[in-house]
Amino acid sequence: MKLFIIIGAINAFLAVALGAFGAHGLEGKVEPKYLETWETGVKYQMYHALGLIAIGIISGNVSPGSLLSWSGWLMLIGIILFSGSLYVLTLSGVKVLGAITPFGGVAFLVSWVLLIVFAAKHL
């Protein structure tokens, strides 16, 4: 599925751009703890962007099933909820947004479990 490769590449691009923005645009403008929060969002976005690219590559080499597809979509949902909430938290300082972050973390975990199950069954 080239769609997951494209979505992964877009997210990798965004992770690099947001990382640079955090390092150069936010330094001195937000508290150091929020810079660390921003960096955590960037790291997890990049890790899962690479996961999406891997899913896209795997999909091109085997008959993709719903497990693989769900794994990819949950990685994207995880990026939006986990990294997105950390970015908004950093920029706004609204701590209640941190309550969204664990839902993104769960989406990441489930996506990796689905990938494991897919690989065990089909590879």
Side-chain angles (χ1 to χ4, degrees), residues 14-99:
L14 289 172
V16 172
L18 291 167
F21 174 73
H24 303 291
L26 293 179
E27 192 170 26
K29 294 185 174 111
V30 298
E31 296 176 38
K33 73 175 184 175
Y34 285 125
L35 278 180
E36 289 179 28
T37 300
W38 185 274
E39 289 174 18
T40 299
V42 169
K43 283 187 225 173
Y44 277 78
Q45 183 171 2
M46 181 58 82
Y47 298 151
H48 291 88
L50 295 173
L52 284 164
I53 292 168
I55 288 171
I57 292 168
I58 293 166
S59 295
N61 294 322
V62 298
S63 177
S66 62
L67 287 172
L68 194 58
S69 182
W70 271 106
S71 177
W73 291 117
L74 284 170
M75 280 194 192
L76 179 60
I77 290 166
I79 290 170
I80 293 165
L81 294 178
F82 185 90
S83 296
S85 67
L86 294 180
Y87 299 146
V88 175
L89 171 64
T90 299
L91 295 174
S92 71
V94 177
K95 294 180 181 178
V96 73
L97 292 169

